[in-house]
Amino acid sequence: MNIKDLYYFQRLISTQSYTQTAADFHVSQPTISQAIKRLERHFQTTLFFRQAKTKALVLTPSGQQLLLAANDIIANWQHVNESIGHLRQHTLRLGIEPSVSERYLPALTKPIVEKDLLSSIHTVEMGANQLVKQVLNGQLDIAVSCNLDQTLDERLAVTPLRPFTFKILCSPDHELTKLDHPTFKDALQHPFVILNATYLSKLVFHQLAEQLSIEPQVMFESDNGTLINGLVRENLALGFISDIGAEPEKGLVEIPITDVQAPSVHINMIRRAHQFPIGLFKDVMDIVEETFKDDSI
């Protein structure tokens, strides 16, 4: 069986037209017809039939199964071509989430430079959801990302690097500090300034508020940790921070969250499950894992 036959089959079902499919691939219409016949001979079944009234191509159960498989095979084949192309060029695309890069990028970069790999690694910074999408569609080879554990796709190979927790950040003059055991419920009576949707912390913040059935007062969202620290320092709002980002300013008070169940969250290294860690790929994976084993960071 020729993989190109799967391409023809996939496009034919999409276009519903032999003529259009042939034009899309710059081949003759009989080429498409012969490809479908080869597939049907191989599987010894009928893949679709043409509806009498609408002339639409209607998949049989066998055709539906083959289309699902063809989508995966074609996607994986494209990823394999891209991966081998990068191996030939000795390049790798690494994605990293902003909150992770703030703290860990210098430590990651040092061994990369020492091993003379800097020119071979193209690093981009983006939010967790976008990182996962780009790894799945082959635009990134490896990503270091903060993720809710239950949201990760089964098509990914995931290496947990470290868990992390969230805390409330406030000015020492804030009335929350006057309570003996301040809670997240107490904090939600006051306005917050939080990181925006680029960061996982926004999702976690709203999940925790939902547990208490309280609509939070979000005064401001930002991707700038320094700005958040400034607003908290001036006692204009509370902050919601994790223990992986840049260190908060000295003098600000961190309050642990103990009255609600935080979701399980980790910094993970993620890649496509079928991607084999060899050569440069394995070198970078080893560097990432070693970096996060260093508890002194």
Side-chain angles (χ1 to χ4, degrees), residues 170-178 232-235 251 253:
C170 67
S171 162
D173 299 324
H174 196 280
E175 62 183 78
L176 207 61
T177 63
K178 309 302 188 279
V232 172
R233 184 183 63 245
E234 296 299 322
N235 205 14
V253 178

Side-chain angles (χ1 to χ4, degrees), residues 35-53:
I36 301 304
K37 289 178 182 178
R38 279 194 298 270
L39 288 172
E40 291 186 329
R41 281 198 302 270
H42 178 85
F43 292 107
Q44 298 182 359
T45 188
T46 299
L47 297 174
F48 56 81
F49 60 88
R50 190 178 291 281
Q51 197 172 59
K53 290 184 178 180

